[in-house]
Amino acid sequence: MDHLKPTSANSPPLTPLTFLDRAATVYGDSTSIIYNHTTYTWSQTHKRCLQLASSLAGIGIRRNDVVSVLAFNIPAMYELQFAVPMAGAVLNNLNTRLDARTISVMLRHSESKLLFVDSHLQALAHDAVSRFPPEITPPVVVLIKDYNCLLNDDVGIVTTSYEDLVKKGNKNNSLSNDDVGFEIVTTSYENLVKKGDANFRWVRPVNEWDPITLNYTSGTTSSPKGVVHSHRAIFILALDSLIDWSVPKKPVFLWTLPMFHSNGWGFTWGMAAVGGTNICLHKFTAGDVFTAVNRHHVTHMCGAPVVLNMIANSPNAKPLHNPVHFLTGGAPPPAAVVLRTESLGFIVSHGYGMTEVAGVVVSCAWKEEWNRLPVTEKASLKARQGVRTLGLTEVNVLDTESGLGVKRDGLTQGEIVLKGACLMLGYLKDPRATAMCMREDGWLYTGDVGVIHPDGYLEIKDRLKDVIITGGENVSSVEVESVLYCNPAVNEAAVVARPDKFWGETPCVFVSLMDGKDGGGSSDEILKFCRERLPHYMVPKTVVFMAELPKTATGKIMKSTLREMAKNMPPSMGNSRM
Amino acid sequence: MDHLKPTSANSPPLTPLTFLDRAATVYGDSTSIIYNHTTYTWSQTHKRCLQLASSLAGIGIRRNDVVSVLAFNIPAMYELQFAVPMAGAVLNNLNTRLDARTISVMLRHSESKLLFVDSHLQALAHDAVSRFPPEITPPVVVLIKDYNCLLNDDVGIVTTSYEDLVKKGNKNNSLSNDDVGFEIVTTSYENLVKKGDANFRWVRPVNEWDPITLNYTSGTTSSPKGVVHSHRAIFILALDSLIDWSVPKKPVFLWTLPMFHSNGWGFTWGMAAVGGTNICLHKFTAGDVFTAVNRHHVTHMCGAPVVLNMIANSPNAKPLHNPVHFLTGGAPPPAAVVLRTESLGFIVSHGYGMTEVAGVVVSCAWKEEWNRLPVTEKASLKARQGVRTLGLTEVNVLDTESGLGVKRDGLTQGEIVLKGACLMLGYLKDPRATAMCMREDGWLYTGDVGVIHPDGYLEIKDRLKDVIITGGENVSSVEVESVLYCNPAVNEAAVVARPDKFWGETPCVFVSLMDGKDGGGSSDEILKFCRERLPHYMVPKTVVFMAELPKTATGKIMKSTLREMAKNMPPSMGNSRM
């Protein structure tokens, strides 16, 4: 059989971009996007993405250039998930909750060429770009104007080359910080769409391992890591997630999950595959969710447990007319929240994933017979991470000492490891971190500690890396600690998760102060120090002063003890001194 | 980004075999197979496949050895779709409708090591094996005993090595043809299952391009071609088909489509992916279908239009209690048949595929708005082949002269070409045929002539290669003609399709006889000659004698004229003289 090798006919690169061409044929007249009073069909979305991709290519964006996006869940954000890679570029979605300093670091690290910015995030983008040192060219900023003003949106200057944009951009991009109301764009998003060619032949990847996305994640070190995914990984993940969640044709998908979170767990592309309708929301309350669900007959939505919690506890909560499938992940959903939302008519599924695996690759795979169990038992089964999806090749829990698989008894803990086609290519410009994560033994080490139950289902027990998950966002305790350690008043600092009814967890810091500085370190000062250096969600919500942090014999801070303390704090307890 | 390359963690080979391990965890207690009084769960099927694979490896079956199967849709046939590749071998399903001569040719061509045989096909297998010349070792035949006799099935001799089996097999495998009732097996299927190790670590492909299946197809030449598929292609095809047909979790799948037809269009593996229940049928009537549908609450089934026709015209036909999804392919379903079966409660989908693409890769992708059209218009839309599935990268219709895509006007004809990950690796030991089919321009040439409608949907109009599709089986006219040309009485012969209410089409032969042999060539003689040399379904149903066949100026037989004649023959017309 050895004479049979791949040919050009049977090995065209796998890529999710082919979903959009097909959607234009099969679902051309169906609604693709609804956002307030803006509505598109799949043939319009297809055309707009081709036009935008053509404009990007036209101004000089080349294969493997990075194009960044800082936007809420608006139509442009959805379109860019296709248009940027259709121009051959690598799509870099930025977390809108980050601070200007972090965004600036990411833009520089990725050497981003263009930055598309939601009009509501203009100031943040400006701040980030203005932090570039004069010798480094910042990305050209392209404004996505408010959708309410779109009708008057043809006044932007259309330039013909990237160099031109850089030149004009830099000129306007005055570095003086007090120039707040200035114009940082030389063209607008809608102008790029309008001037593009709808017959553009989009840039197919040369190889399916070519990069398609760059998503920054808070890692264990103080600098963020850029996770790069291939076209192949995204193709497999997107189809895999549709099957795992049994998504039918033409679902109505409500975007409560930020698209910048692993590209909406791959459902941005997945919706094109099944001709779904994307209901976009800018910012939302629980009331907005119920309104959208009823108005648009929503069938599917995703979100962190904090969104599930928001829905469950909303005064607007009313039983649904039709069931809505809710896929949650990022942290195990609390049993009480699952029960409450299911009683309203939501069908909750729970999946496990991480930026490094592009979406959900382990899921709680519900069994019919479990429906007969008592409600609390059901909820705790649903909170388990579960089994690998079809797209993942293997999952295991390895003993951290021996490296062997742990006993499947639901008790023996080890590190969760993964192997499969949805895994990242690696971290951008960080071969050391890549090799630490994806090791030579063929496993990706998640840093999560788990057990395997006798029925083969996986459950996360703890996090090796002490990541705190607050409102669906990962906060690396090490990252926060490294900032605290910059404060001259601080002697020692340790950040752990404190359980929180609303956020799931919040960062809680235990601090001992330098000799003689006891009086000088107030919790307000500590928090102010953090706020100036960290995005809002990373800033500790609780500060506890201790004379000395508990340590092991070898001098290592006993985080497990601190975690226990944080866990047992009365809800009323704020910042304190011990 | 160039530093980011595939690693062992993110590039484990894609293979559908991983579906079975997962099914044992997620669907362990659910029913996997029902066949008369035999029932298995997914954990039993998983265990039996591992045991069988372990026995195959134990007796010496090695990576890339070919293992053949000649069986109806019985549980063993289903298990072998997993067990053979789990031993690292290449699975070669044989068409049970073939004659012994053709099967013998295939076994020799593939150098098959083992042949699993359904007890009801023992005589055919014996005949095929006994045709091996003495200097060539035939495959060892392993009998799959009748499931009614399974309880007494532990009398077989279990041997320890393949060499041993060959030795014992050959000794018993007396070549005398009149030894009909003899014992050709040295061990039985159930013995191999029983003696195997359920903890066997199945043989993973080294590379996802490694071969998994070998399926013979009637091609344009007189010798059958062996289509080899990779693990990767089957993985993609299986998931793709589940999404395209919106197959939910735990469907109940009735096996009317022979599993030897492209491994049941990939649904053999697909059912493990979604934890379906496989309802096996040996041979069946329309009555059996209705009985099975009602008894087992069948949700999904596949079959050629001839099966749809059989159901539509059955006196047992009664409206269904619950809708049954019926996926048809191989030939366009006649409008009247679609209407009649849909009125009973079947939901008919239509797909297009071929052995070379592993399953359905173009499908009629129904649009909601078409439901409002008149019934006949609906049926003709449903008969179109449609649009590519998500797993196929591109499809086009090329002008045979210029090689350019035809106008999308529903009128301009060209050859249908495909590009995508589900395409075969190539033809076994036939690089010339492989290169003719998958050309350097990156397309697989299907040999089918089609048009593209203005809405982007594809429709087959004719077949370049004059293939006749009779009862879902492809008959190559060239193959039948080459047999006819061996008859000394025959001067010229041309075989074309004659429309047939039941079979869709039947082969119709136009013959001119040698000078002076006019009296000697009766239609009975011609048919007898064919029957001795061809499988039954390939034998022409109509013979027409002509003084001379119509020809073009360059001397080429005008098949189009003959096809017109065959099309316009009155139904009553049998063999005739013109």
Side-chain angles (χ1 to χ4, degrees):
Chain A
M1 305 256 164
D2 295 343
H3 67 96
L4 295 167
K5 303 278 180 221
T7 67
S8 53
N10 64 25
S11 64
L14 300 171
T15 168
L17 302 179
T18 53
F19 302 168
L20 187 58
D21 291 342
R22 185 175 178 277
T25 302
V26 180
Y27 308 107
D29 297 329
S30 304
T31 305
S32 54
I33 303 176
I34 298 176
Y35 176 60
N36 297 334
H37 299 294
T38 303
T39 300
Y40 296 113
T41 62
W42 278 108
S43 87
Q44 288 173 318
T45 296
H46 179 237
K47 193 178 157 211
R48 286 173 59 85
C49 289
L50 283 172
Q51 290 177 177
L52 183 53
S54 131
S55 283
L56 291 176
I59 60 172
I61 293 297
R62 294 282 163 264
R63 203 182 279 280
N64 288 1
D65 281 350
V66 171
V67 172
S68 303
V69 187
L70 184 66
F72 295 111
N73 287 345
I74 56 177
M77 179 66 174
Y78 185 80
E79 293 166 346
L80 285 161
Q81 309 303 303
F82 290 92
V84 170
M86 283 165 96
V90 178
L91 173 70
N92 171 227
N93 289 340
L94 294 164
N95 188 328
T96 58
R97 295 167 192 162
L98 294 172
D99 61 331
R101 187 195 61 89
T102 310
I103 290 174
S104 188
V105 167
M106 290 171 178
L107 293 173
R108 257 178 292 172
H109 183 261
S110 63
E111 300 170 49
S112 179
K113 290 281 195 301
L114 270 181
L115 170 60
F116 285 97
V117 178
D118 193 316
S119 57
H120 298 271
L121 295 161
Q122 209 170 337
L124 177 62
H126 170 233
D127 192 358
V129 168
S130 65
R131 287 164 186 260
F132 269 62
E135 70 276 14
I136 299 180
T137 309
V140 169
V141 178
V142 177
L143 187 68
I144 307 161
K145 294 206 180 150
D146 194 296
Y147 279 75
N148 297 325
C149 321
L150 277 190
L151 291 177
N152 302 317
D153 186 57
D154 38 17
V155 290
I157 304 148
V158 176
T159 49
T160 49
S161 77
Y162 178 74
E163 286 308 314
D164 219 27
L165 279 175
V166 170
K167 236 180 283 167
K168 295 196 184 163
N170 278 350
K171 202 173 61 193
N172 292 335
N173 243 345
S174 147
L175 291 172
S176 87
N177 268 330
D178 41 26
D179 186 5
V180 174
F182 79 142
E183 176 66 49
I184 57 169
V185 294
T186 54
T187 185
S188 76
Y189 180 81
E190 278 304 315
N191 264 313
L192 286 178
V193 172
K194 271 183 210 154
K195 307 290 170 171
D197 173 11
N199 294 312
F200 178 63
R201 287 176 64 93
W202 56 272
V203 183
R204 288 180 187 263
V206 175
N207 186 297
E208 65 192 32
W209 293 99
D210 286 354
I212 182 171
T213 56
L214 168 65
N215 293 318
Y216 282 93
T217 173
S218 293
T220 46
T221 60
S222 55
S223 55
K225 286 185 285 193
V227 172
V228 178
H229 277 291
S230 65
H231 284 261
R232 169 188 162 102
I234 297 298
F235 174 90
I236 303 275
L237 184 276
L239 293 190
D240 184 34
S241 294
L242 292 173
I243 293 181
D244 197 68
W245 200 18
S246 296
V247 178
K249 305 272 165 65
K250 299 181 77 172
V252 180
F253 190 93
L254 179 63
W255 278 103
T256 43
L257 174 71
M259 292 189 209
F260 64 70
H261 262 183
S262 281
N263 311 88
W265 303 347
F267 289 111
T268 43
W269 301 294
M271 285 303 113
V274 290
T277 299
N278 295 280
I279 311 297
C280 290
L281 291 178
H282 190 172
K283 287 185 166 183
F284 60 91
T285 62
D288 296 332
V289 169
F290 281 96
T291 304
V293 163
N294 290 323
R295 179 175 302 157
H296 302 296
H297 309 289
V298 168
T299 59
H300 291 72
M301 59 189 290
C302 295
V306 67
V307 176
L308 210 55
N309 192 38
M310 177 203 260
I311 290 170
N313 296 327
S314 162
N316 301 72
K318 270 182 211 149
L320 301 173
H321 302 304
N322 295 301
V324 173
H325 297 267
F326 194 112
L327 178 59
T328 190
V337 174
V338 171
L339 291 177
R340 169 91 180 113
T341 39
E342 294 216 316
S343 74
L344 294 171
F346 289 91
I347 301 164
V348 179
S349 300
H350 170 218
Y352 166 70
M354 55 202 311
T355 307
E356 284 83 346
V357 298
V360 170
V361 294
V362 172
S363 79
C364 69
W366 195 248
K367 298 190 181 189
E368 251 171 34
E369 56 263 37
W370 292 344
N371 287 328
R372 293 190 294 267
L373 297 172
V375 282
T376 49
E377 210 169 316
K378 279 202 282 190
S380 75
L381 283 172
K382 196 154 272 188
R384 302 195 303 180
Q385 278 65 29
V387 292
R388 68 173 170 84
T389 60
L390 294 163
L392 199 70
T393 305
E394 282 184 87
V395 59
N396 207 347
V397 174
L398 304 185
D399 181 80
T400 44
E401 294 289 315
S402 70
L404 299 173
V406 300
K407 219 173 146 187
R408 305 194 157 212
D409 57 5
L411 297 168
T412 315
Q413 298 194 350
E415 183 168 0
I416 298 169
V417 291
L418 310 169
K419 186 180 290 187
C422 312
L423 271 51
M424 65 172 176
L425 269 170
Y427 297 115
L428 182 67
K429 301 179 192 168
D430 200 343
R432 200 163 155 264
T434 302
M436 280 286 288
C437 179
M438 293 195 291
R439 302 195 194 149
E440 284 187 1
D441 62 3
W443 291 107
L444 178 145
Y445 283 74
T446 63
D448 287 320
V449 175
V451 298
I452 302 185
H453 288 275
D455 65 355
Y457 278 55
L458 193 102
E459 188 174 356
I460 293 184
K461 285 293 176 186
D462 203 350
R463 281 170 287 278
L464 272 186
K465 296 170 188 168
D466 301 311
V467 169
I468 298 145
I469 306 182
T470 180
E473 296 291 341
N474 284 2
V475 175
S476 158
S477 57
V478 180
E479 194 166 353
V480 181
E481 284 158 16
S482 71
V483 166
L484 286 162
Y485 276 106
C486 297
N487 185 323
V490 167
N491 177 33
E492 286 171 327
V495 178
V496 297
R498 181 180 176 193
D500 185 274
K501 234 179 150 179
F502 185 76
W503 295 106
E505 294 174 347
T506 57
C508 169
V509 59
F510 291 85
V511 186
S512 71
L513 296 174
M514 302 299 265
D515 277 349
K517 295 267 183 177
D518 186 276
S522 78
S523 60
D524 279 353
E525 276 171 14
I526 296 287
L527 294 177
K528 183 167 173 284
F529 187 85
C530 289
R531 268 189 222 107
E532 282 165 4
R533 289 161 181 83
L534 287 168
H536 182 73
Y537 71 93
M538 286 193 189
V539 175
K541 297 281 174 295
T542 322
V543 182
V544 183
F545 292 94
M546 298 178 98
E548 198 183 344
L549 300 191
K551 296 203 198 65
T552 62
T554 56
K556 222 171 141 186
I557 294 171
M558 289 168 78
K559 280 219 171 172
S560 52
T561 306
L562 298 177
R563 215 177 278 120
E564 276 305 302
M565 289 171 64
K567 209 165 152 184
N568 296 319
M569 283 176 188
S572 59
M573 183 167 161
N575 305 319
S576 71
R577 197 165 301 268
M578 290 173 99
Chain B
M1 305 252 166
D2 295 344
H3 67 96
L4 295 167
K5 303 280 180 219
T7 67
S8 53
N10 65 24
S11 64
L14 300 172
T15 167
L17 301 178
T18 52
F19 301 168
L20 187 59
D21 291 343
R22 185 175 179 278
T25 302
V26 181
Y27 308 107
D29 297 329
S30 305
T31 306
S32 54
I33 303 177
I34 297 177
Y35 175 59
N36 296 333
H37 299 293
T38 304
T39 300
Y40 296 114
T41 63
W42 278 109
S43 87
Q44 288 173 317
T45 296
H46 180 237
K47 191 177 158 212
R48 286 173 58 85
C49 290
L50 283 171
Q51 290 177 177
L52 183 54
S54 129
S55 284
L56 290 178
I59 61 172
I61 293 296
R62 294 282 163 265
R63 203 182 278 279
N64 287 2
D65 282 350
V66 171
V67 172
S68 303
V69 187
L70 185 65
F72 295 110
N73 286 345
I74 55 177
M77 179 67 174
Y78 186 81
E79 292 166 346
L80 285 161
Q81 309 303 303
F82 290 93
V84 169
M86 283 165 97
V90 178
L91 172 70
N92 170 227
N93 289 340
L94 293 164
N95 187 327
T96 58
R97 293 168 193 162
L98 293 173
D99 60 332
R101 187 193 63 89
T102 310
I103 290 174
S104 189
V105 167
M106 291 170 177
L107 292 173
R108 258 178 290 171
H109 184 261
S110 64
E111 301 171 48
S112 177
K113 289 283 197 297
L114 270 181
L115 171 60
F116 284 97
V117 178
D118 193 314
S119 58
H120 298 271
L121 294 162
Q122 209 171 337
L124 177 62
H126 170 232
D127 192 358
V129 169
S130 67
R131 285 164 186 261
F132 269 63
E135 69 277 14
I136 299 180
T137 308
V140 169
V141 178
V142 177
L143 188 67
I144 306 160
K145 293 204 181 152
D146 194 296
Y147 278 75
N148 297 323
C149 320
L150 276 190
L151 291 177
N152 301 316
D153 186 57
D154 38 18
V155 289
I157 305 148
V158 175
T159 50
T160 48
S161 78
Y162 179 74
E163 286 309 313
D164 220 27
L165 279 176
V166 170
K167 235 181 283 165
K168 295 195 185 165
N170 279 350
K171 203 172 61 193
N172 293 334
N173 243 344
S174 147
L175 291 174
S176 88
N177 268 330
D178 41 27
D179 185 6
V180 174
F182 79 141
E183 177 64 52
I184 56 166
V185 294
T186 54
T187 185
S188 75
Y189 180 82
E190 278 304 314
N191 264 312
L192 287 178
V193 173
K194 273 183 207 153
K195 307 291 170 169
D197 174 11
N199 295 314
F200 177 63
R201 286 176 66 95
W202 57 272
V203 183
R204 287 181 187 263
V206 174
N207 187 296
E208 66 193 29
W209 293 98
D210 286 354
I212 181 171
T213 57
L214 168 64
N215 293 318
Y216 282 94
T217 173
S218 292
T220 48
T221 61
S222 55
S223 55
K225 286 185 286 192
V227 173
V228 178
H229 277 292
S230 65
H231 283 261
R232 168 188 163 102
I234 297 298
F235 174 90
I236 302 276
L237 183 276
L239 294 189
D240 183 34
S241 295
L242 292 173
I243 293 181
D244 197 68
W245 201 17
S246 296
V247 179
K249 306 272 167 65
K250 298 182 79 174
V252 180
F253 189 92
L254 179 63
W255 278 103
T256 43
L257 174 71
M259 292 189 208
F260 65 71
H261 263 182
S262 281
N263 311 87
W265 303 348
F267 289 111
T268 42
W269 301 293
M271 285 304 112
V274 289
T277 300
N278 294 279
I279 310 296
C280 290
L281 290 178
H282 189 173
K283 286 185 168 184
F284 61 91
T285 62
D288 297 333
V289 168
F290 280 96
T291 305
V293 164
N294 289 324
R295 179 174 302 156
H296 302 295
H297 309 289
V298 167
T299 59
H300 290 72
M301 58 190 291
C302 295
V306 67
V307 176
L308 210 55
N309 193 38
M310 177 204 258
I311 289 169
N313 296 326
S314 163
N316 302 71
K318 270 182 210 149
L320 302 172
H321 301 305
N322 295 302
V324 173
H325 297 267
F326 193 112
L327 178 59
T328 192
V337 174
V338 171
L339 291 177
R340 169 90 181 114
T341 38
E342 294 216 315
S343 74
L344 295 170
F346 290 91
I347 300 164
V348 179
S349 300
H350 171 217
Y352 166 70
M354 54 202 311
T355 306
E356 283 82 349
V357 298
V360 170
V361 296
V362 172
S363 78
C364 69
W366 195 248
K367 298 190 182 189
E368 252 170 34
E369 56 264 37
W370 293 344
N371 287 328
R372 292 190 295 269
L373 296 172
V375 280
T376 49
E377 211 169 316
K378 278 202 282 188
S380 73
L381 283 172
K382 196 155 271 187
R384 301 194 305 179
Q385 279 65 30
V387 293
R388 69 175 170 83
T389 59
L390 294 163
L392 199 69
T393 306
E394 281 184 88
V395 59
N396 207 346
V397 174
L398 303 186
D399 180 78
T400 44
E401 295 288 314
S402 69
L404 300 173
V406 299
K407 218 172 146 187
R408 304 195 158 210
D409 56 6
L411 296 169
T412 315
Q413 299 193 349
E415 183 169 0
I416 298 169
V417 292
L418 310 169
K419 186 180 288 186
C422 312
L423 271 49
M424 65 172 177
L425 269 169
Y427 297 115
L428 183 66
K429 301 179 190 168
D430 201 344
R432 202 163 154 263
T434 302
M436 280 285 289
C437 179
M438 293 196 293
R439 301 194 195 152
E440 284 188 359
D441 61 3
W443 291 107
L444 178 143
Y445 283 73
T446 62
D448 288 321
V449 175
V451 298
I452 302 184
H453 288 275
D455 65 355
Y457 278 54
L458 193 102
E459 188 174 357
I460 292 185
K461 285 294 176 185
D462 203 348
R463 280 171 286 281
L464 269 189
K465 296 170 189 168
D466 301 311
V467 170
I468 297 145
I469 305 181
T470 180
E473 297 291 342
N474 284 2
V475 175
S476 156
S477 58
V478 181
E479 194 166 353
V480 181
E481 284 158 15
S482 70
V483 165
L484 286 162
Y485 275 107
C486 299
N487 185 321
V490 168
N491 178 34
E492 287 171 329
V495 178
V496 298
R498 181 181 175 190
D500 184 275
K501 234 178 149 178
F502 185 76
W503 295 105
E505 293 174 348
T506 57
C508 169
V509 58
F510 291 84
V511 186
S512 71
L513 296 174
M514 302 300 262
D515 277 350
K517 294 265 182 178
D518 184 277
S522 77
S523 60
D524 280 354
E525 274 171 15
I526 296 287
L527 294 177
K528 184 168 172 279
F529 187 86
C530 289
R531 269 189 221 108
E532 285 166 2
R533 289 161 180 83
L534 287 170
H536 182 73
Y537 71 91
M538 285 195 188
V539 174
K541 296 280 174 294
T542 321
V543 182
V544 182
F545 291 95
M546 298 179 99
E548 198 183 346
L549 301 190
K551 294 199 199 69
T552 63
T554 57
K556 221 171 143 186
I557 295 171
M558 289 167 76
K559 280 216 172 173
S560 53
T561 305
L562 297 176
R563 215 177 278 121
E564 276 304 302
M565 288 170 65
K567 209 165 152 184
N568 296 318
M569 283 177 188
S572 59
M573 184 169 162
N575 304 320
S576 72
R577 197 165 300 267
M578 290 174 99

